[in-house]
Amino acid sequence: MSKISELLRRKRIDMAQRKSTHTPNPSSENRLVNWDKHTFRILAEIKRSSLSAGGIRRNLDLEQLARSYESAGAAAISVLTEEHYFEGSLADLTAVRRSVSVPVLQKDFVLDEFQILEAKEAGADFVLLIARFLTTQEIRHFLEVCDRIQINAVVEVTDENDLRKIKGPVRFLGVNARDLETLQVDTSRFEKMRGLLPDAYLIAESGIDSIETLRKVTSLGYNGALIGEHFLRAEDPAKELARFVGATLVVARTGRDKPCPYRLAKVKICGITNERDAQLAIQEGASALGFVFAESPRRVSPGQLKSFRNNISVPCVGVFRGNKQNEIQAIVDECRLDIAQIYDSCSVSIPAWKARTATSLDQISELVGKNQLVDIKLSDSDLPAAWKLLGQQTVF
């Protein structure tokens, strides 16, 4: 009997035992998530072991790790709750749920609607429905259950046969590069499956262990990535996550010619003039680096940046004020910039942050909700009020 067959057999036995002693009472809270497709999100996974690799990181502080993932930019935390091969539990999920404010995904092998009710009772915002182990009728029914109790479902597929089981619309669709029966990973599956996928929030799963693979996923038009083992094997999982989050601030392609700028940077270190400072900022977790081409004591020339541009692993942002449009475009092309931070009215061939300087709380109030990058120049005493006004606005 294969590992996955044994896992499913034990899952059914365990579930039958729980059903005989417990009736889930999930809360009536609406946990439905509405993620826009123009923001690439990384879901960071927590697991002690796996079916394919065995022990990964058994001695971990669940709550501390979850909080560090959230601080590093995780859009959601995935928690393995399978007991025998992944050494997880619903108690793990509950512990993570009370530790973070981002959504929590229960990663398990759902075979019965009882498990969906259990998941929401334990605090899950998402459940995973693996098409490989479900029938068309079961997928449809489980999605109806999720709608009824207001919890999100990620339907996971591996190949075309799995995809054929999905007969109706889905909001979140995962493509797993790992075949759960052979346990082999093939990241080319992301590209092979991409043209077959329906309109949904698309999440790439498994095998994403490098910035290069992550960028390939974004370029294919996936909207998110679920990454676990790579982070957990890193010396500092949260720091590695922060590095990946920074790398997602790139221009990907959704379809043939529709640019989709992904916005996930948390911290941009601006005024970089040399490679030593650039590498130090990256090592400390910078999500993006800013290079000033406007008049400034920190101004850098295109030639200076070009001398070390190939060694920068996070997005490069060019800061322009008072530059002519043709000059900006020439620097964008010469230095292969990822983003242009522009204070004047002009257009360029890459995503642009329309920036405004705010020197008063009144000016900040005017900019809230207008999709502007706000360059704050206030006294320290006014900063708390400024942060309150800006709320969830993007600020660098």
Side-chain angles (χ1 to χ4, degrees), residues 1 66 69 111 120 172 180-181 186 188 204 222 244 251 262 268 278 298 312 314 328 345-346 356 370 377:
M1 181 178 290
Y69 274 160
L111 304 173
K120 187 169 185 186
F172 299 94
L180 291 174
E181 292 177 291
D186 177 9
S188 69
Y222 286 84
F244 272 56
V251 178
Y262 290 126
K268 172 169 72 69
R298 305 293 294 175
I312 299 175
V314 300
I328 295 174
S345 179
C346 62
R356 289 280 301 277
K370 293 186 178 179
K377 297 187 184 300

PDB file of all heavy atoms in Angstrom, residues 1 66 69 111 120 172 180-181 186 188 204 222 244 251 262 268 278 298 312 314 328 345-346 356 370 377:
ATOM      1  N   MET A   1       0.851  -1.195   0.000  1.00  0.00           N
ATOM      2  CA  MET A   1       0.000   0.000   0.000  1.00  0.00           C
ATOM      3  C   MET A   1       0.889   1.248   0.000  1.00  0.00           C
ATOM      4  O   MET A   1       1.847   1.341   0.758  1.00  0.00           O
ATOM      5  CB  MET A   1      -0.911   0.011   1.235  1.00  0.00           C
ATOM      6  CG  MET A   1      -1.852   1.200   1.302  1.00  0.00           C
ATOM      7  SD  MET A   1      -2.954   1.156   2.749  1.00  0.00           S
ATOM      8  CE  MET A   1      -4.015  -0.209   2.319  1.00  0.00           C
ATOM      9  N   ALA A  66       4.346  31.799  13.252  1.00  0.00           N
ATOM     10  CA  ALA A  66       3.221  32.411  12.541  1.00  0.00           C
ATOM     11  C   ALA A  66       3.308  33.929  12.596  1.00  0.00           C
ATOM     12  O   ALA A  66       3.102  34.616  11.582  1.00  0.00           O
ATOM     13  CB  ALA A  66       1.903  31.927  13.137  1.00  0.00           C
ATOM     14  N   TYR A  69       6.053  35.152  10.308  1.00  0.00           N
ATOM     15  CA  TYR A  69       5.613  35.073   8.912  1.00  0.00           C
ATOM     16  C   TYR A  69       4.716  36.261   8.569  1.00  0.00           C
ATOM     17  O   TYR A  69       4.847  36.880   7.503  1.00  0.00           O
ATOM     18  CB  TYR A  69       4.843  33.778   8.672  1.00  0.00           C
ATOM     19  CG  TYR A  69       5.697  32.570   8.333  1.00  0.00           C
ATOM     20  CD1 TYR A  69       5.193  31.274   8.492  1.00  0.00           C
ATOM     21  CD2 TYR A  69       6.988  32.697   7.831  1.00  0.00           C
ATOM     22  CE1 TYR A  69       5.957  30.158   8.173  1.00  0.00           C
ATOM     23  CE2 TYR A  69       7.752  31.590   7.510  1.00  0.00           C
ATOM     24  CZ  TYR A  69       7.228  30.318   7.682  1.00  0.00           C
ATOM     25  OH  TYR A  69       7.980  29.217   7.354  1.00  0.00           O
ATOM     26  N   LEU A 111     -12.256  14.645   3.165  1.00  0.00           N
ATOM     27  CA  LEU A 111     -13.008  13.549   2.554  1.00  0.00           C
ATOM     28  C   LEU A 111     -14.486  13.583   2.938  1.00  0.00           C
ATOM     29  O   LEU A 111     -15.281  12.807   2.415  1.00  0.00           O
ATOM     30  CB  LEU A 111     -12.412  12.204   2.987  1.00  0.00           C
ATOM     31  CG  LEU A 111     -10.917  11.996   2.688  1.00  0.00           C
ATOM     32  CD1 LEU A 111     -10.432  10.705   3.310  1.00  0.00           C
ATOM     33  CD2 LEU A 111     -10.665  12.005   1.182  1.00  0.00           C
ATOM     34  N   LYS A 120     -13.710  25.161  10.340  1.00  0.00           N
ATOM     35  CA  LYS A 120     -14.184  26.499  10.706  1.00  0.00           C
ATOM     36  C   LYS A 120     -14.323  26.638  12.217  1.00  0.00           C
ATOM     37  O   LYS A 120     -14.018  27.693  12.790  1.00  0.00           O
ATOM     38  CB  LYS A 120     -15.504  26.835  10.017  1.00  0.00           C
ATOM     39  CG  LYS A 120     -15.883  28.292  10.271  1.00  0.00           C
ATOM     40  CD  LYS A 120     -17.017  28.798   9.439  1.00  0.00           C
ATOM     41  CE  LYS A 120     -17.194  30.299   9.702  1.00  0.00           C
ATOM     42  NZ  LYS A 120     -18.368  30.856   9.030  1.00  0.00           N
ATOM     43  N   PHE A 172     -11.001  30.163  -5.789  1.00  0.00           N
ATOM     44  CA  PHE A 172      -9.572  29.939  -5.560  1.00  0.00           C
ATOM     45  C   PHE A 172      -9.201  28.565  -6.108  1.00  0.00           C
ATOM     46  O   PHE A 172      -9.810  27.561  -5.730  1.00  0.00           O
ATOM     47  CB  PHE A 172      -9.247  30.013  -4.067  1.00  0.00           C
ATOM     48  CG  PHE A 172      -9.563  31.346  -3.430  1.00  0.00           C
ATOM     49  CD1 PHE A 172     -10.778  31.562  -2.801  1.00  0.00           C
ATOM     50  CD2 PHE A 172      -8.643  32.383  -3.476  1.00  0.00           C
ATOM     51  CE1 PHE A 172     -11.076  32.776  -2.212  1.00  0.00           C
ATOM     52  CE2 PHE A 172      -8.932  33.609  -2.897  1.00  0.00           C
ATOM     53  CZ  PHE A 172     -10.153  33.809  -2.267  1.00  0.00           C
ATOM     54  N   LEU A 180       0.664  13.771  -5.773  1.00  0.00           N
ATOM     55  CA  LEU A 180       0.558  13.202  -4.430  1.00  0.00           C
ATOM     56  C   LEU A 180       0.600  11.676  -4.407  1.00  0.00           C
ATOM     57  O   LEU A 180       0.755  11.076  -3.341  1.00  0.00           O
ATOM     58  CB  LEU A 180      -0.719  13.702  -3.754  1.00  0.00           C
ATOM     59  CG  LEU A 180      -0.709  15.190  -3.391  1.00  0.00           C
ATOM     60  CD1 LEU A 180      -2.061  15.626  -2.853  1.00  0.00           C
ATOM     61  CD2 LEU A 180       0.380  15.491  -2.374  1.00  0.00           C
ATOM     62  N   GLU A 181       0.473  11.071  -5.558  1.00  0.00           N
ATOM     63  CA  GLU A 181       0.570   9.603  -5.593  1.00  0.00           C
ATOM     64  C   GLU A 181       2.004   9.137  -5.834  1.00  0.00           C
ATOM     65  O   GLU A 181       2.470   8.184  -5.220  1.00  0.00           O
ATOM     66  CB  GLU A 181      -0.389   9.062  -6.651  1.00  0.00           C
ATOM     67  CG  GLU A 181      -1.846   9.288  -6.235  1.00  0.00           C
ATOM     68  CD  GLU A 181      -2.834   8.842  -7.286  1.00  0.00           C
ATOM     69  OE1 GLU A 181      -2.894   9.485  -8.346  1.00  0.00           O
ATOM     70  OE2 GLU A 181      -3.564   7.865  -7.031  1.00  0.00           O
ATOM     71  N   ASP A 186       7.223  18.446 -10.338  1.00  0.00           N
ATOM     72  CA  ASP A 186       7.531  18.880 -11.695  1.00  0.00           C
ATOM     73  C   ASP A 186       6.992  20.300 -11.852  1.00  0.00           C
ATOM     74  O   ASP A 186       5.806  20.499 -12.118  1.00  0.00           O
ATOM     75  CB  ASP A 186       6.886  17.935 -12.710  1.00  0.00           C
ATOM     76  CG  ASP A 186       7.118  18.371 -14.155  1.00  0.00           C
ATOM     77  OD1 ASP A 186       7.922  19.313 -14.360  1.00  0.00           O
ATOM     78  OD2 ASP A 186       6.497  17.797 -15.062  1.00  0.00           O
ATOM     79  N   SER A 188       7.352  22.339 -14.142  1.00  0.00           N
ATOM     80  CA  SER A 188       6.880  22.675 -15.494  1.00  0.00           C
ATOM     81  C   SER A 188       5.370  22.502 -15.589  1.00  0.00           C
ATOM     82  O   SER A 188       4.736  22.995 -16.520  1.00  0.00           O
ATOM     83  CB  SER A 188       7.581  21.804 -16.541  1.00  0.00           C
ATOM     84  OG  SER A 188       7.161  20.447 -16.444  1.00  0.00           O
ATOM     85  N   ALA A 204      -0.035  28.807  -7.084  1.00  0.00           N
ATOM     86  CA  ALA A 204       0.947  27.778  -7.419  1.00  0.00           C
ATOM     87  C   ALA A 204       1.443  27.131  -6.131  1.00  0.00           C
ATOM     88  O   ALA A 204       1.795  27.827  -5.178  1.00  0.00           O
ATOM     89  CB  ALA A 204       2.111  28.393  -8.185  1.00  0.00           C
ATOM     90  N   TYR A 222      -0.004  33.565 -12.431  1.00  0.00           N
ATOM     91  CA  TYR A 222      -0.557  33.085 -11.167  1.00  0.00           C
ATOM     92  C   TYR A 222      -0.676  34.272 -10.213  1.00  0.00           C
ATOM     93  O   TYR A 222       0.088  35.242 -10.301  1.00  0.00           O
ATOM     94  CB  TYR A 222       0.313  31.984 -10.574  1.00  0.00           C
ATOM     95  CG  TYR A 222       0.175  30.660 -11.291  1.00  0.00           C
ATOM     96  CD1 TYR A 222       0.908  30.395 -12.449  1.00  0.00           C
ATOM     97  CD2 TYR A 222      -0.708  29.682 -10.827  1.00  0.00           C
ATOM     98  CE1 TYR A 222       0.768  29.195 -13.126  1.00  0.00           C
ATOM     99  CE2 TYR A 222      -0.846  28.471 -11.494  1.00  0.00           C
ATOM    100  CZ  TYR A 222      -0.111  28.226 -12.647  1.00  0.00           C
ATOM    101  OH  TYR A 222      -0.255  27.041 -13.319  1.00  0.00           O
ATOM    102  N   PHE A 244      11.507  36.573  -0.500  1.00  0.00           N
ATOM    103  CA  PHE A 244      10.600  36.161  -1.571  1.00  0.00           C
ATOM    104  C   PHE A 244       9.494  37.198  -1.778  1.00  0.00           C
ATOM    105  O   PHE A 244       9.104  37.472  -2.916  1.00  0.00           O
ATOM    106  CB  PHE A 244       9.992  34.790  -1.248  1.00  0.00           C
ATOM    107  CG  PHE A 244      10.824  33.633  -1.720  1.00  0.00           C
ATOM    108  CD1 PHE A 244      12.145  33.500  -1.337  1.00  0.00           C
ATOM    109  CD2 PHE A 244      10.286  32.656  -2.547  1.00  0.00           C
ATOM    110  CE1 PHE A 244      12.921  32.440  -1.758  1.00  0.00           C
ATOM    111  CE2 PHE A 244      11.054  31.589  -2.988  1.00  0.00           C
ATOM    112  CZ  PHE A 244      12.377  31.476  -2.592  1.00  0.00           C
ATOM    113  N   VAL A 251       6.771  42.959 -12.710  1.00  0.00           N
ATOM    114  CA  VAL A 251       5.698  42.994 -13.695  1.00  0.00           C
ATOM    115  C   VAL A 251       5.527  41.591 -14.246  1.00  0.00           C
ATOM    116  O   VAL A 251       6.448  41.020 -14.816  1.00  0.00           O
ATOM    117  CB  VAL A 251       6.025  43.953 -14.848  1.00  0.00           C
ATOM    118  CG1 VAL A 251       4.918  43.937 -15.897  1.00  0.00           C
ATOM    119  CG2 VAL A 251       6.182  45.363 -14.305  1.00  0.00           C
ATOM    120  N   TYR A 262       2.482  43.670  -9.595  1.00  0.00           N
ATOM    121  CA  TYR A 262       2.193  43.091  -8.291  1.00  0.00           C
ATOM    122  C   TYR A 262       2.787  43.979  -7.207  1.00  0.00           C
ATOM    123  O   TYR A 262       3.944  44.372  -7.281  1.00  0.00           O
ATOM    124  CB  TYR A 262       2.767  41.682  -8.194  1.00  0.00           C
ATOM    125  CG  TYR A 262       2.047  40.695  -9.057  1.00  0.00           C
ATOM    126  CD1 TYR A 262       2.734  39.923  -9.972  1.00  0.00           C
ATOM    127  CD2 TYR A 262       0.672  40.560  -8.967  1.00  0.00           C
ATOM    128  CE1 TYR A 262       2.058  39.013 -10.770  1.00  0.00           C
ATOM    129  CE2 TYR A 262      -0.001  39.656  -9.753  1.00  0.00           C
ATOM    130  CZ  TYR A 262       0.700  38.888 -10.655  1.00  0.00           C
ATOM    131  OH  TYR A 262       0.040  37.993 -11.434  1.00  0.00           O
ATOM    132  N   LYS A 268      10.877  49.830   1.359  1.00  0.00           N
ATOM    133  CA  LYS A 268      11.808  50.220   0.299  1.00  0.00           C
ATOM    134  C   LYS A 268      12.897  51.071   0.927  1.00  0.00           C
ATOM    135  O   LYS A 268      12.612  52.097   1.547  1.00  0.00           O
ATOM    136  CB  LYS A 268      11.108  51.002  -0.810  1.00  0.00           C
ATOM    137  CG  LYS A 268      12.076  51.601  -1.847  1.00  0.00           C
ATOM    138  CD  LYS A 268      11.348  52.122  -3.056  1.00  0.00           C
ATOM    139  CE  LYS A 268      10.577  53.387  -2.759  1.00  0.00           C
ATOM    140  NZ  LYS A 268      11.480  54.546  -2.502  1.00  0.00           N
ATOM    141  N   ALA A 278      23.565  48.397  -1.116  1.00  0.00           N
ATOM    142  CA  ALA A 278      22.462  47.631  -1.701  1.00  0.00           C
ATOM    143  C   ALA A 278      22.404  46.233  -1.100  1.00  0.00           C
ATOM    144  O   ALA A 278      21.334  45.759  -0.688  1.00  0.00           O
ATOM    145  CB  ALA A 278      22.623  47.554  -3.219  1.00  0.00           C
ATOM    146  N   ARG A 298      21.731  62.290  -2.673  1.00  0.00           N
ATOM    147  CA  ARG A 298      21.851  60.841  -2.852  1.00  0.00           C
ATOM    148  C   ARG A 298      21.651  60.429  -4.315  1.00  0.00           C
ATOM    149  O   ARG A 298      21.392  59.273  -4.609  1.00  0.00           O
ATOM    150  CB  ARG A 298      20.808  60.113  -1.985  1.00  0.00           C
ATOM    151  CG  ARG A 298      20.847  60.455  -0.515  1.00  0.00           C
ATOM    152  CD  ARG A 298      22.130  59.964   0.136  1.00  0.00           C
ATOM    153  NE  ARG A 298      22.204  58.505   0.152  1.00  0.00           N
ATOM    154  CZ  ARG A 298      23.261  57.824   0.573  1.00  0.00           C
ATOM    155  NH1 ARG A 298      24.338  58.474   0.978  1.00  0.00           N
ATOM    156  NH2 ARG A 298      23.254  56.524   0.585  1.00  0.00           N
ATOM    157  N   ILE A 312      21.573  42.591  -7.987  1.00  0.00           N
ATOM    158  CA  ILE A 312      20.460  42.975  -7.114  1.00  0.00           C
ATOM    159  C   ILE A 312      19.314  41.983  -7.298  1.00  0.00           C
ATOM    160  O   ILE A 312      18.824  41.790  -8.421  1.00  0.00           O
ATOM    161  CB  ILE A 312      19.984  44.406  -7.413  1.00  0.00           C
ATOM    162  CG1 ILE A 312      21.125  45.389  -7.168  1.00  0.00           C
ATOM    163  CG2 ILE A 312      18.777  44.766  -6.556  1.00  0.00           C
ATOM    164  CD1 ILE A 312      20.794  46.813  -7.545  1.00  0.00           C
ATOM    165  N   VAL A 314      16.310  42.090  -5.584  1.00  0.00           N
ATOM    166  CA  VAL A 314      14.985  42.635  -5.263  1.00  0.00           C
ATOM    167  C   VAL A 314      14.654  43.716  -6.293  1.00  0.00           C
ATOM    168  O   VAL A 314      15.544  44.181  -7.017  1.00  0.00           O
ATOM    169  CB  VAL A 314      14.938  43.223  -3.833  1.00  0.00           C
ATOM    170  CG1 VAL A 314      15.260  42.164  -2.795  1.00  0.00           C
ATOM    171  CG2 VAL A 314      15.865  44.422  -3.693  1.00  0.00           C
ATOM    172  N   ILE A 328      13.548  59.913 -18.425  1.00  0.00           N
ATOM    173  CA  ILE A 328      13.093  58.840 -17.529  1.00  0.00           C
ATOM    174  C   ILE A 328      13.072  57.515 -18.273  1.00  0.00           C
ATOM    175  O   ILE A 328      13.584  56.498 -17.783  1.00  0.00           O
ATOM    176  CB  ILE A 328      11.699  59.166 -16.965  1.00  0.00           C
ATOM    177  CG1 ILE A 328      11.757  60.411 -16.076  1.00  0.00           C
ATOM    178  CG2 ILE A 328      11.153  57.974 -16.172  1.00  0.00           C
ATOM    179  CD1 ILE A 328      10.399  60.886 -15.592  1.00  0.00           C
ATOM    180  N   SER A 345       3.796  64.587 -13.936  1.00  0.00           N
ATOM    181  CA  SER A 345       2.804  63.962 -14.797  1.00  0.00           C
ATOM    182  C   SER A 345       3.467  63.478 -16.080  1.00  0.00           C
ATOM    183  O   SER A 345       3.806  64.273 -16.958  1.00  0.00           O
ATOM    184  CB  SER A 345       1.686  64.957 -15.124  1.00  0.00           C
ATOM    185  OG  SER A 345       0.740  64.371 -15.981  1.00  0.00           O
ATOM    186  N   CYS A 346       3.698  62.176 -16.177  1.00  0.00           N
ATOM    187  CA  CYS A 346       4.249  61.580 -17.389  1.00  0.00           C
ATOM    188  C   CYS A 346       4.022  60.075 -17.335  1.00  0.00           C
ATOM    189  O   CYS A 346       3.660  59.532 -16.296  1.00  0.00           O
ATOM    190  CB  CYS A 346       5.730  61.904 -17.563  1.00  0.00           C
ATOM    191  SG  CYS A 346       6.781  61.288 -16.250  1.00  0.00           S
ATOM    192  N   ARG A 356       3.275  61.692  -4.253  1.00  0.00           N
ATOM    193  CA  ARG A 356       2.985  63.051  -3.796  1.00  0.00           C
ATOM    194  C   ARG A 356       3.652  63.261  -2.451  1.00  0.00           C
ATOM    195  O   ARG A 356       3.649  62.371  -1.598  1.00  0.00           O
ATOM    196  CB  ARG A 356       1.470  63.254  -3.649  1.00  0.00           C
ATOM    197  CG  ARG A 356       0.697  63.324  -4.957  1.00  0.00           C
ATOM    198  CD  ARG A 356       0.801  64.694  -5.601  1.00  0.00           C
ATOM    199  NE  ARG A 356       0.290  65.736  -4.719  1.00  0.00           N
ATOM    200  CZ  ARG A 356      -1.005  66.046  -4.605  1.00  0.00           C
ATOM    201  NH1 ARG A 356      -1.928  65.381  -5.293  1.00  0.00           N
ATOM    202  NH2 ARG A 356      -1.379  67.017  -3.782  1.00  0.00           N
ATOM    203  N   LYS A 370      -6.724  57.667  -2.810  1.00  0.00           N
ATOM    204  CA  LYS A 370      -6.523  58.100  -4.188  1.00  0.00           C
ATOM    205  C   LYS A 370      -5.420  57.318  -4.892  1.00  0.00           C
ATOM    206  O   LYS A 370      -4.905  57.761  -5.921  1.00  0.00           O
ATOM    207  CB  LYS A 370      -6.213  59.595  -4.222  1.00  0.00           C
ATOM    208  CG  LYS A 370      -7.397  60.455  -3.783  1.00  0.00           C
ATOM    209  CD  LYS A 370      -7.111  61.931  -3.964  1.00  0.00           C
ATOM    210  CE  LYS A 370      -8.333  62.758  -3.562  1.00  0.00           C
ATOM    211  NZ  LYS A 370      -8.079  64.210  -3.707  1.00  0.00           N
ATOM    212  N   LYS A 377       6.655  63.960   4.925  1.00  0.00           N
ATOM    213  CA  LYS A 377       7.687  64.819   5.512  1.00  0.00           C
ATOM    214  C   LYS A 377       7.024  65.610   6.635  1.00  0.00           C
ATOM    215  O   LYS A 377       6.545  66.728   6.435  1.00  0.00           O
ATOM    216  CB  LYS A 377       8.287  65.744   4.456  1.00  0.00           C
ATOM    217  CG  LYS A 377       9.008  64.996   3.327  1.00  0.00           C
ATOM    218  CD  LYS A 377       9.727  65.928   2.390  1.00  0.00           C
ATOM    219  CE  LYS A 377      10.361  65.163   1.231  1.00  0.00           C
ATOM    220  NZ  LYS A 377      11.343  64.179   1.658  1.00  0.00           N
TER     221      LYS A 377
END
